Structures are given as structure tokens and as C-alpha cells.
Amino acid sequence: MKNKINNITNVSNLILAGICILLSAACLWYCKYGTWSQRTGESGKMFPRLVSCIWIGVSVVIIIRELLHMQKEEPVALTQMKVWHPLFVVGSCALYFLVELYVGIVVGLFVFLTAFISIMDEDPRKNFKKNLLIAIIATGVLWVVFSQVLPIVTFQTLLF
Amino acid sequence: MELLNILGDASLVAFMPMTVLYAFIGVVLGVTVGAIPGLTGDMAISILLPFVYKVDTTMALGLLIGIYKGSMFGGSISAISFGVPGTPAAAATVEDGYPLAKKGRPMQSMLQALFSSVTGDIFSTLLLVFLTIPMGQLAIKFGPVEFFALYIFSLVVIAVLSRDNQWKGILATVIGLVIAMIGTDPATGASRLTFGISFLRGGFATVPVLVGTFAISELIIQFSNAQEVRRAYKSGVDKVKNVFKIDKNIEDKYTLKHFKETFKSTIIGSAIGTFVGILPGAGSSIACYLSYGIARNVCKDGDEFGTGVLNGIAAPEAGNSATCGASVIPLLAFGIPGSATAALIGAALTMQGINPGPTMFTANQVIIYAFFIIVLYASILNLGVSRLLIPMYAKISKIQIKYLVPVIFALAILGCYTTDNSVSNIWALLIFGVIGVILRKFRVPLGPFILGYLIGPSMEISLKQSLSLSNNDWSVLFSKPIALGFYAATIIFVLLIVFTFNKNKTILDKGANSDEE
């Protein structure tokens, strides 16, 4: 079991270092051939080049340490986060923002809070009324604070 | 005489009723947030960043400092009550706080945590007051060569203190530096590292980067954990509840005698926390574990540590709180934050039009002294408010995360949009939320990443200025005695950490790991 966890840690570190090498190589390529590099002098390119080279160097060291099993990192199992979790959260936040921007802050907040609390609830059917009440109260408080007390939210929206 | 005038003006602004009120709100908010497992002071400060520039500078400082101090103690409440640290900085407090609470003395544990926490905090705050100005005056004499050496020192220290993750610490710093380079070239004004994407032309604003990395990523992880709980609930697995019955016959009091008995470990924690706090990127988790480990070796009841002794609560609590004042010293003196929270306070100052660093001592003298006064009275406010509300806070820490996460998401998005009414801020916020999750999952520390991002532009400018002065001769970087001193200090520090602290490896590892959790 421990070996399995060690392997997961090793593989994740190798993936991380591999991605970093690709990105740093892209940065170096951009410093050499990008449109910006044509406009700037040698002194302007020094810092980005230096940082990119260190980036590559550190990534290579991580790979070598992993391959030689020199990494003393405490092995941990990657937690159960599914790929859809961050995608879902980011997507729903973007949707919430667009609703707020074009439909209205109260509508956006209420829909977002109701849906999100239900999704996070262990038993949304059982706690439906309680969750709804909390969503209404939270919407009211946020609306009063951001639209009335501190009038800093100035969306031009269809509804309210 | 001039100093007295400045102090008078500073007192006037620091003691404005609204400033005191904001500091009070900050302390209450900080303890509350700290008491709730999963929420941290960093997250609360980053969420409030977009709003603070709309209020007066001292009010903003009062609020943020209050949160910083309050959250340090707040983390111990759930650590003692339920064995679950409210913040990573309170992880070591669980070792003795929870067993002592189980023995029937939860109030004694919490009061020990509070008094040690405030003592450690005041200790480092006094150092902040007396050390910052001389250090700042020294920094005024620095040129670009000295500053570049100082940045190198800071970044190496950040990386080395990531312990078994040193290479990931360096990696995080470098990624932060690269993120800071995206956008406009400070020399030519041309777009740099944008790869033709127009969205990247202006670079990433500070607020979405900070809020996304700290808050949104944490919220995504909380969401994921909630899904796991939901799945377990559906499959009929009961949650483990750390609830214990308290024997009401046991005397649960905290007296002056207890404070005196634990004073030695409190001072040990305060000294270690202050030292660790000054080092860039070291963090309060390392301070609390290091304090706990050293107090265990020094105290008479060291063998009983872990069974529920007051010294085992005093040392880590004093240690983590002592980082508060100390981590602000390099921020004010050199413009280099000592911790992620100090970096957030630095960002708030920048948003208020104040550049943290040596120029503050000439351009914003009243603000800097007002800052000292607020930091001092916020400690006293923390003591008073927390002493009164301790019984209530234990209940607050039971607030369910399912209600808090959506509300905090909504706040973060509203706040980021309102900083400059820019839709691109929201996209940047979400992108950095995902980047934060990826970094956490790969166990790349966030502190060095943020410090790299914040230090990057100044570091680039100082390198460019140094090279311009010497016609691109790199040897100029080693031409000044102060710069050489910093390079020597860097080498000595690395050797000191590698050889001296090898014996305490476990302690540092625990601190580094809990930072990432």
C-alpha cells in the first residue's frame, strides 16, 4: 500500500516537473522568437531568460530526485477530488456571475446560493426548507450590504 | 519634537472611533473564521481585499490586522474543542489542547491558548515597533544592487524553509515570478509572454490572483470534501464525531498561577515565533511546531507533552501568534512580506496608494506610526473580545461549511468584480482558483508562489537598474559590501538550516505539511 502511495507521489511529481519543463521551454522560445523580443533590448530579456532557465533547472532536479528516489517528501495519497469538482465550481461561478451581470444581483445570488447549498448538502430533500430559508436570508443580507449600505455593485440589469 | 507631533497625529487617526470599530470587527471576524475548520485568516483577508480600498487607510488596516490576530487564536478553539485545528497554525495545539479538554478542562485549555497567544503577539509587536524604523532607515541607503541581493536572500530563505519540499519551494517561487512577468514589459511597455492572447495583455491584477489562489482554491477543496461526505452519507457511513462528555466535578479554572507556570514555554514560543516570522515565507505552522518541539525538550514536564499539559498549549500558541507582528517587519522595512498574510496586508496598502517599504518612512510617517498603534491595541482588543466570547466561539466552530462556502464564493466574485468593474478580473479569479487547486494537489506551497509573484516586478526592476548602471556587467551584483553581506547571509542560513535543524526535521516537516493542507 505504501509503495502504491509512493508511486502516486512519484508520478505526480514527475508530471508536475514535466509540465513545468514544457512551460519554461515555451517561455524561453517566446523570449527568443516572440513579437515582444523583437522590440526589447538584451537587458529586457535577461530577467525572463534567467527565470525560465532556473525553472527548467529546478524541474530537471525534481525529475532526477524522483528517478533516483532522493525525494524525502512524505508520501501522500492524492485525495478523492474528481476532475468534475473544480470544473463544476468554476462553471457555476461563471454562470452565477453572468446571471448577476445581465439579470440581476438578487436573482443571481438567490439561484446560486439555493443551488450550491443543495449540492453541498448531505440530504438536500430532507433539509430543503432550511436551506431555502438560509439562501433567502443570505441573499437579503448580501443585497442590503452591497447594493444599499455600500452601493458598490453597479450592474445595469434586466431585473433586480 | 517632530516625532512627538507625528505620534500625536498617528494617535488621532489610530484612535478614530471608526478605526477602533473596524479593528473590533476584524478581531471578531478573525476569531470566528479561525474557529471554523477549513476557513483561515488568509482567506478572510483575501476576500475582504477588494472592499478595503473603499475605506480609509487606517480603518482598512484596523480590519485586516484584527482579522490576522483574531484568526491566530481562533484556530485553537476548534483544535481544543473538537481536536480539529481551525487553521494550519493551530495544528500543534491539538496535541495537548484536545487531551486536556477531554480531561474536563476545555476552558482552562482555551484560556491558556488565549493568554499565551496574546503574550506572543505583544512580544513580537514590540519588536516590530522598535526594529522596523532602524531597519527601514538602513533600507533607505540601499541601491538596486543591494535590493537585488536582498530579494535573492528572501527567495532562497523561502525555498529552504519548505524543508523536504525545498525544490518545490523554489519551483513555486519561480512560477510566481513567471506569472508576475506576464503582461506589460516595464522597460518598453510592450506586451510580454502573452502568446498573442489579448486577455493577458494587461497582466493579472493582484486581487484576483490573491483571492483566487488562497480563497477560491480552498473553497473548491471544501466543495470536493463536501461531495465526499455526501457520498459517504448516501452509502450509510456515519461521520466520526469528536464529541466527549465533560465531567462536571473537575475544576476548570485558569489562574495567574497557571500563567506563571507556563510563562517559560510562552516566552520560548514567543522568541521562536518572532524569529520565524521575520524570515520571508516561513509561516506560522512552522513556528508552532518548532516552538512545541523545543518547549518539549526544555520544559520539566516535557515527557508528558501530548497527554494534555498546559506547557504544550502555551508554546505553540505563543509561537504562531508571535509571527503576526514579526512577519510585518520585513514588509514595512524592505517591502518584502514575511508571510502570505503579510503579503496580503502589503497588497491592501498598495491598493490604498501606499508602497510598503523604506519609502513609507518619509512619505507616510503618520500611517506607519498609526499602524504600530493599531497593531498594539488590536492585541488588547483580541484579549478582551476573545475572553468574553470564548463560550460562544466553541459553538460558532460548529457552523456547517455547506452554508459558508456558497456565501464566500458569492462574496469573492462580487468583491473581485467591484475592484475595477472588470469582467476579466472574474476570469482571472477563476483561473487562479484552479491554479491554486493544482498547486495544492501537487503539494507545491502557496506562500512562496505568492511571494514570488509579489516580489517579481521589484526584483526585475532592481536587476535591470543594476545592469544598466554597469553596461550589462553582471559583476556589479557583487560590488557592494551590503549585497555581499546578503549573499553571505544566504549561504550561512542555508548551511544553518541544513545542518542544525536536521535533528528537528520531523517538527519542520509537520509544519511544512500542515501549511499545504
Side-chain angles (χ1 to χ4, degrees), chain A residues 12-13 30 36 40 46 73-74 76 79 85 89 97 118-119 121-123 131 134 146 152 155, chain B residues 51 54 164-165 168 185 191-193 224 227 230 233 239 402-403 409 411 417 441-443 467:
Chain A
S12 74
N13 284 342
Y30 192 85
W36 154 78
T40 194
M46 277 181 183
E73 199 173 17
E74 191 76 15
V76 285
T79 50
H85 289 162
V89 172
F97 176 69
S118 300
I119 289 164
D121 200 331
E122 295 157 13
D123 194 345
N131 292 348
I134 287 171
F146 293 109
I152 53 176
F155 301 127
Chain B
F51 306 111
K54 296 175 198 297
D164 69 341
N165 281 332
K168 283 194 183 173
D185 181 346
S191 294
R192 181 172 67 177
L193 291 174
S224 187
Q227 296 312 303
R230 195 177 147 124
Y233 179 85
K239 279 190 289 182
K402 67 178 178 187
Y403 298 124
F409 262 127
L411 266 176
Y417 176 74
K441 287 293 150 195
F442 280 111
R443 302 187 74 204
L467 294 176

Side-chain angles (χ1 to χ4, degrees), chain B residues 18-238:
Chain B
M18 285 305 283
T19 308
V20 179
L21 179 68
Y22 270 78
F24 174 81
I25 293 170
V27 168
V28 175
L29 201 62
V31 182
T32 309
V33 164
I36 299 169
L39 303 187
T40 59
D42 286 350
M43 185 203 272
I45 293 175
S46 60
I47 294 284
L48 288 172
L49 263 188
F51 306 111
V52 295
Y53 81 99
K54 296 175 198 297
V55 297
D56 186 70
T57 308
T58 47
M59 292 178 203
L61 286 175
L63 184 72
L64 301 185
I65 292 166
I67 294 173
Y68 193 9
K69 286 174 183 276
S71 66
M72 282 295 170
F73 165 66
S76 67
I77 293 171
S78 62
I80 291 166
S81 306
F82 315 111
V84 181
T87 57
T93 310
V94 176
E95 309 271 348
D96 278 275
Y98 186 55
L100 191 60
K102 278 205 286 191
K103 284 179 185 171
R105 292 202 278 265
M107 188 57 86
Q108 194 181 64
S109 309
M110 279 195 225
L111 288 174
Q112 178 67 64
L114 176 64
F115 283 104
S116 296
S117 184
V118 172
T119 309
D121 182 17
I122 291 175
F123 185 95
S124 75
T125 301
L126 289 175
L127 208 74
L128 164 76
V129 172
F130 292 111
L131 213 66
T132 307
I133 292 174
M135 280 172 83
Q137 281 164 348
L138 177 74
I140 289 172
K141 294 171 187 164
F142 284 13
V145 174
E146 286 89 349
F147 266 112
F148 184 75
L150 179 59
Y151 293 135
I152 293 286
F153 171 74
S154 308
L155 295 181
V156 171
V157 169
I158 293 166
V160 169
L161 285 173
S162 301
R163 278 305 293 168
D164 69 341
N165 281 332
Q166 293 110 333
W167 293 103
K168 283 194 183 173
I170 302 174
L171 193 71
T173 312
V174 173
I175 296 171
L177 291 171
V178 172
I179 297 288
M181 284 192 296
I182 296 172
T184 311
D185 181 346
T188 61
S191 294
R192 181 172 67 177
L193 291 174
T194 58
F195 295 94
I197 304 167
S198 58
F199 165 70
L200 298 176
R201 211 173 286 158
F204 293 108
T206 310
V207 171
V209 173
L210 297 182
V211 180
T213 311
F214 280 111
I216 298 293
S217 64
E218 180 61 44
L219 292 173
I220 291 173
I221 287 168
Q222 293 293 341
F223 171 82
S224 187
N225 292 343
Q227 296 312 303
E228 190 56 31
V229 171
R230 195 177 147 124
R231 193 188 59 77
Y233 179 85
K234 279 182 181 168
S235 58
V237 180
D238 284 337

